[in-house]
mmCIF file of all heavy atoms in Angstrom:
data_model
loop_
_atom_site.group_PDB
_atom_site.id
_atom_site.type_symbol
_atom_site.label_atom_id
_atom_site.label_comp_id
_atom_site.label_asym_id
_atom_site.label_seq_id
_atom_site.Cartn_x
_atom_site.Cartn_y
_atom_site.Cartn_z
ATOM 1 N N ARG A 34 35.403 39.126 -42.416
ATOM 2 C CA ARG A 34 35.221 39.691 -41.094
ATOM 3 C C ARG A 34 34.055 38.972 -40.473
ATOM 4 O O ARG A 34 32.975 38.889 -41.036
ATOM 5 C CB ARG A 34 34.941 41.189 -41.253
ATOM 6 C CG ARG A 34 34.713 41.901 -39.921
ATOM 7 C CD ARG A 34 34.504 43.394 -40.183
ATOM 8 N NE ARG A 34 34.231 44.067 -38.961
ATOM 9 C CZ ARG A 34 33.058 44.685 -38.656
ATOM 10 N NH1 ARG A 34 32.118 44.726 -39.582
ATOM 11 N NH2 ARG A 34 32.896 45.211 -37.510
ATOM 12 N N VAL A 35 34.253 38.489 -39.252
ATOM 13 C CA VAL A 35 33.234 37.684 -38.602
ATOM 14 C C VAL A 35 32.872 38.282 -37.239
ATOM 15 O O VAL A 35 33.642 38.634 -36.425
ATOM 16 C CB VAL A 35 33.736 36.202 -38.357
ATOM 17 C CG1 VAL A 35 32.666 35.362 -37.703
ATOM 18 C CG2 VAL A 35 34.146 35.585 -39.706
ATOM 19 N N LEU A 36 31.500 38.416 -37.081
ATOM 20 C CA LEU A 36 30.941 38.857 -35.790
ATOM 21 C C LEU A 36 30.145 37.663 -35.302
ATOM 22 O O LEU A 36 29.556 36.887 -36.101
ATOM 23 C CB LEU A 36 30.019 40.029 -36.016
ATOM 24 C CG LEU A 36 30.631 41.267 -36.710
ATOM 25 C CD1 LEU A 36 29.531 42.255 -37.036
ATOM 26 C CD2 LEU A 36 31.711 41.894 -35.879
ATOM 27 N N THR A 37 30.102 37.457 -33.966
ATOM 28 C CA THR A 37 29.345 36.308 -33.410
ATOM 29 C C THR A 37 28.408 36.782 -32.309
ATOM 30 O O THR A 37 28.595 37.804 -31.689
ATOM 31 C CB THR A 37 30.326 35.272 -32.842
ATOM 32 O OG1 THR A 37 31.046 35.911 -31.741
ATOM 33 C CG2 THR A 37 31.283 34.689 -33.841
ATOM 34 N N ALA A 38 27.389 36.023 -32.238
ATOM 35 C CA ALA A 38 26.318 36.210 -31.230
ATOM 36 C C ALA A 38 25.794 34.839 -30.754
ATOM 37 O O ALA A 38 25.746 33.967 -31.505
ATOM 38 C CB ALA A 38 25.128 37.090 -31.742
ATOM 39 N N ALA A 39 25.412 34.771 -29.494
ATOM 40 C CA ALA A 39 24.955 33.553 -28.928
ATOM 41 C C ALA A 39 23.396 33.428 -28.904
ATOM 42 O O ALA A 39 22.847 32.341 -28.717
ATOM 43 C CB ALA A 39 25.423 33.361 -27.448
ATOM 44 N N ASP A 40 22.724 34.568 -29.161
ATOM 45 C CA ASP A 40 21.204 34.497 -29.205
ATOM 46 C C ASP A 40 20.735 35.627 -30.106
ATOM 47 O O ASP A 40 21.496 36.447 -30.564
ATOM 48 C CB ASP A 40 20.614 34.564 -27.789
ATOM 49 C CG ASP A 40 20.998 35.842 -27.017
ATOM 50 O OD1 ASP A 40 20.864 36.931 -27.620
ATOM 51 O OD2 ASP A 40 21.357 35.695 -25.862
ATOM 52 N N ALA A 41 19.464 35.629 -30.370
ATOM 53 C CA ALA A 41 18.849 36.575 -31.307
ATOM 54 C C ALA A 41 18.914 37.968 -30.736
ATOM 55 O O ALA A 41 19.100 38.964 -31.445
ATOM 56 C CB ALA A 41 17.363 36.217 -31.568
ATOM 57 N N TRP A 42 18.823 38.175 -29.401
ATOM 58 C CA TRP A 42 18.901 39.522 -28.792
ATOM 59 C C TRP A 42 20.274 40.153 -29.061
ATOM 60 O O TRP A 42 20.313 41.286 -29.454
ATOM 61 C CB TRP A 42 18.584 39.485 -27.331
ATOM 62 C CG TRP A 42 17.172 39.028 -26.996
ATOM 63 C CD1 TRP A 42 16.096 39.036 -27.842
ATOM 64 C CD2 TRP A 42 16.735 38.525 -25.763
ATOM 65 N NE1 TRP A 42 14.984 38.519 -27.189
ATOM 66 C CE2 TRP A 42 15.326 38.221 -25.892
ATOM 67 C CE3 TRP A 42 17.320 38.294 -24.525
ATOM 68 C CZ2 TRP A 42 14.596 37.705 -24.850
ATOM 69 C CZ3 TRP A 42 16.573 37.813 -23.479
ATOM 70 C CH2 TRP A 42 15.170 37.505 -23.652
ATOM 71 N N GLU A 43 21.255 39.380 -28.842
ATOM 72 C CA GLU A 43 22.584 39.859 -29.066
ATOM 73 C C GLU A 43 22.819 40.171 -30.552
ATOM 74 O O GLU A 43 23.436 41.165 -30.939
ATOM 75 C CB GLU A 43 23.609 38.809 -28.605
ATOM 76 C CG GLU A 43 25.049 39.259 -28.571
ATOM 77 C CD GLU A 43 25.964 38.163 -28.013
ATOM 78 O OE1 GLU A 43 25.595 37.224 -27.394
ATOM 79 O OE2 GLU A 43 27.198 38.271 -28.331
ATOM 80 N N ALA A 44 22.322 39.281 -31.425
ATOM 81 C CA ALA A 44 22.485 39.463 -32.846
ATOM 82 C C ALA A 44 21.750 40.705 -33.316
ATOM 83 O O ALA A 44 22.212 41.458 -34.173
ATOM 84 C CB ALA A 44 21.970 38.214 -33.554
ATOM 85 N N GLU A 45 20.527 40.963 -32.806
ATOM 86 C CA GLU A 45 19.779 42.125 -33.211
ATOM 87 C C GLU A 45 20.508 43.412 -32.826
ATOM 88 O O GLU A 45 20.532 44.377 -33.577
ATOM 89 C CB GLU A 45 18.380 42.119 -32.579
ATOM 90 C CG GLU A 45 17.465 41.087 -33.196
ATOM 91 C CD GLU A 45 16.137 40.947 -32.496
ATOM 92 O OE1 GLU A 45 15.741 41.818 -31.694
ATOM 93 O OE2 GLU A 45 15.424 39.965 -32.795
ATOM 94 N N ALA A 46 21.169 43.388 -31.671
ATOM 95 C CA ALA A 46 21.980 44.575 -31.269
ATOM 96 C C ALA A 46 23.106 44.788 -32.225
ATOM 97 O O ALA A 46 23.417 45.939 -32.611
ATOM 98 C CB ALA A 46 22.509 44.367 -29.839
ATOM 99 N N ILE A 47 23.717 43.722 -32.663
ATOM 100 C CA ILE A 47 24.871 43.847 -33.640
ATOM 101 C C ILE A 47 24.343 44.358 -34.936
ATOM 102 O O ILE A 47 24.903 45.270 -35.587
ATOM 103 C CB ILE A 47 25.577 42.459 -33.803
ATOM 104 C CG1 ILE A 47 26.344 42.121 -32.499
ATOM 105 C CG2 ILE A 47 26.517 42.466 -35.045
ATOM 106 C CD1 ILE A 47 26.868 40.660 -32.511
#
Side-chain angles (χ1 to χ4, degrees):
R34 178 174 176 246
V35 179
L36 306 171
T37 61
D40 61 47
W42 297 340
E43 189 179 342
E45 287 173 16
I47 291 169

